[in-house]
Amino acid sequence: MHGPFRAALANLRGAVRESVSLAPVSHLRIGGPAEWFIEAATDQDVALVARACRECEVPLHVLGGGSNVLIADEGVRGVVMSLERLNRVVRDDTRLIAGAGVSVRGLIPLTIGQGLAGLETLAGVPAQVGGAVAMNAGTREGETFDLLESIVVVDREGEIVEVGRDGFHARYRDGGLDGRIVLSARFALRLEEPRAIRERFDGYIRHRNATQPASEKSVGCVFRNPPGDAAGRLIERAGCKLLREGGISVSGKHANYFVNDGSGTCADFVRLIRTVASRVAADFGVALELEVRTWEVRGLEGPPSA
Ligand SMILES: Cc1cc2nc3c(=O)[nH]c(=O)nc-3n(C[C@H](O)[C@H](O)[C@H](O)COP(=O)(O)OP(=O)(O)OC[C@H]3O[C@@H](n4cnc5c(N)ncnc54)[C@H](O)[C@@H]3O)c2cc1C
């Protein structure tokens, strides 16, 4: 770490480690080392790191639950910052304020127990709150921005500010953060009998388990659904189910999921993306767009058939 950058981080409360493998923090279990891995301990830490990276021109990647990132086998330059320690949850009447590092999977049973309905629509999404906001994660039952009232972020100037949900251009699988970093989110929930919420939640989980390879190493849906269609349907109809590149294959249960058998690499994943996208383009004239976020991944430029 060069001198000015080290000096800019002098007041950091959290930990900085060098050359940390990212595979264990990615749901897919793929990814080389981060040059520096920072675990932010406070909101101020996040702002400090954001400012230091900007001033010293060090690349910064913010890590949530790692369930929607494809990370290069060679690793990532600069800083990867984990917000896992921002894990406070505070109830304010029917609102819930949750830190960016809170696991959505852990939060849902808590809200059900307190008779607060709404978050159960995100059943089965293995996100942290920050990642769910960043991606506007959603299911057929609804999406994250439906539930939000406001979000505390580090803005592009490195200041901590609270922004109402209308201050974001959220759309399908994109929270429209535009470079801002989520510190916490205020969810507006509604009172309901815990048993009724629990029954709905159990139904959503049953449906997911029946239709998706929930327990395998994946990033969920690889491609966004094109308008009016489902990427999984197109991939299946293009005959790509169970197609394999190295250790990565198209799931037999849901064709928009690519699963890692444990030996897969980012390069395998990229080859499979290209093959599937080119077959769908050839058969249906549809250019699939990636939903998964990629970190320093090469080989995705240009038309898929190239
Ligand atoms: C088995 C499985 C099932 C899935 N099912 C669904 C589903 O039903 N619906 C759905 O929408 N998605 C689904 N996904 C994808 C994924 O869970 C979502 O995209 C989720 O929102 C990612 O959250 P994360 O915390 O894991 O973020 P990460 O994967 O860590 O990051 C994703 C992106 O968000 C950014 N980010 C993370 N935290 C912050 C923050 N605090 N501030 C700013 N940016 C941040 C990252 O930089 C990155 O660009 C699934 C994934 C898996 C593995």
Side-chain angles (χ1 to χ4, degrees), residues 66-245:
S67 65
N68 200 38
V69 283
L70 175 63
I71 305 171
D73 296 318
E74 298 74 22
V76 171
R77 286 166 302 130
V79 169
V80 170
M81 175 164 54
S82 162
L83 273 51
E84 199 167 42
R85 289 173 66 183
L86 307 188
N87 57 7
R88 256 166 56 97
V89 179
V90 177
R91 180 171 173 178
D92 168 16
D93 193 19
T94 55
R95 293 172 178 81
L96 208 71
I97 301 138
V102 172
S103 139
V104 171
R105 272 189 174 161
L107 195 56
I108 294 173
L110 196 102
T111 57
I112 295 177
Q114 297 198 8
L116 291 173
L119 266 172
E120 75 285 357
T121 54
L122 298 182
V125 181
Q128 291 179 2
V129 164
V133 174
M135 296 301 300
N136 191 17
T139 63
R140 358 178 254 171
E141 320 306 331
E143 48 190 25
T144 304
F145 267 76
D146 297 340
L147 306 168
L148 287 172
E149 194 169 84
S150 62
I151 304 163
V152 178
V153 295
V154 174
D155 69 13
R156 286 174 296 273
E157 282 69 48
E159 302 297 330
I160 297 177
V161 290
E162 183 159 11
V163 184
R165 55 176 262 171
D166 294 343
F168 299 84
H169 295 294
R171 57 188 186 111
Y172 166 66
R173 300 302 172 264
D174 179 6
L177 294 185
D178 199 17
R180 293 169 284 188
I181 303 174
V182 178
L183 297 176
S184 61
R186 178 186 287 261
F187 294 96
L189 306 174
R190 55 176 205 285
L191 291 172
E192 202 182 327
E193 265 295 304
R195 209 179 54 190
I197 315 172
R198 160 77 53 197
E199 274 172 18
R200 275 202 306 278
F201 172 77
D202 289 346
Y204 300 153
I205 292 289
R206 268 197 305 277
H207 174 77
R208 287 186 76 97
N209 290 341
T211 56
Q212 298 166 18
S215 58
E216 296 195 58
K217 301 176 191 69
S218 78
V219 289
C221 290
V222 175
F223 299 100
R224 292 161 174 275
N225 286 327
D229 212 333
R233 189 190 76 86
L234 296 175
I235 297 167
E236 185 170 350
R237 291 202 48 214
C240 296
K241 258 194 175 174
L242 299 177
L243 212 65
R244 171 176 285 275
E245 289 283 357

